[in-house]
Amino acid sequence: MNIKKNDMVLVISGKDRGKKGKVRRSLPRDNRIVVEGLNMIKRHSRARRAARQAGIVELEAPLHASNVMLLCSKCKKPARVGFRTLEDGRKVRFCRTCQEVLD
Ligand SMILES: [Zn+2]
């Protein structure tokens, strides 16, 4: 998976297509990510404790990583991501449009 926490991404399919957001959580095992304010679902909850309010709660549902594109921090475009190994052995991501290293 080529998306990490705190990346800016563009949603390219589904009901939030065209929207941008920051990755709050990544779930590499499921190839999914949670994006701030996107892919909201409504959950109806009952107050179990006094602290918890009953009613409809909106939550962010995980999106599949293939439904988003990473936004390049340099050229600001949705980037196709490549991988490259640096001289010190680190594996980094880079933007195929402007060649900028993104990690
Ligand atoms: Zn770029």
Side-chain angles (χ1 to χ4, degrees), residues 72-77 79 95-100 102:
C72 173
S73 49
K74 192 183 175 209
C75 65
K76 310 287 178 203
K77 287 180 197 146
C95 167
R96 287 192 193 272
T97 309
C98 67
Q99 305 298 316
E100 180 78 1
L102 299 172

Side-chain angles (χ1 to χ4, degrees), residues 41-47 53-59:
I41 50 163
K42 290 193 172 76
R43 279 286 145 83
H44 300 255
S45 80
R46 201 178 279 255
Q53 238 184 334
I56 302 166
V57 197
E58 285 204 273
L59 287 172

Side-chain angles (χ1 to χ4, degrees), residues 1 9 11 13-16 22-43 58-68:
M1 191 161 82
V9 294
V11 180
S13 83
K15 72 179 161 101
D16 282 330
K22 188 173 163 192
V23 177
R24 194 198 285 283
R25 219 144 59 85
S26 92
L27 312 161
R29 194 182 287 199
D30 304 324
N31 246 310
R32 283 173 191 273
I33 52 161
V34 177
V35 183
E36 259 175 36
L38 293 187
N39 205 30
M40 303 303 284
I41 50 163
K42 290 193 172 76
R43 279 286 145 83
E58 285 204 273
L59 287 172
E60 291 142 345
L63 286 158
H64 199 264
S66 66
N67 292 336
V68 301

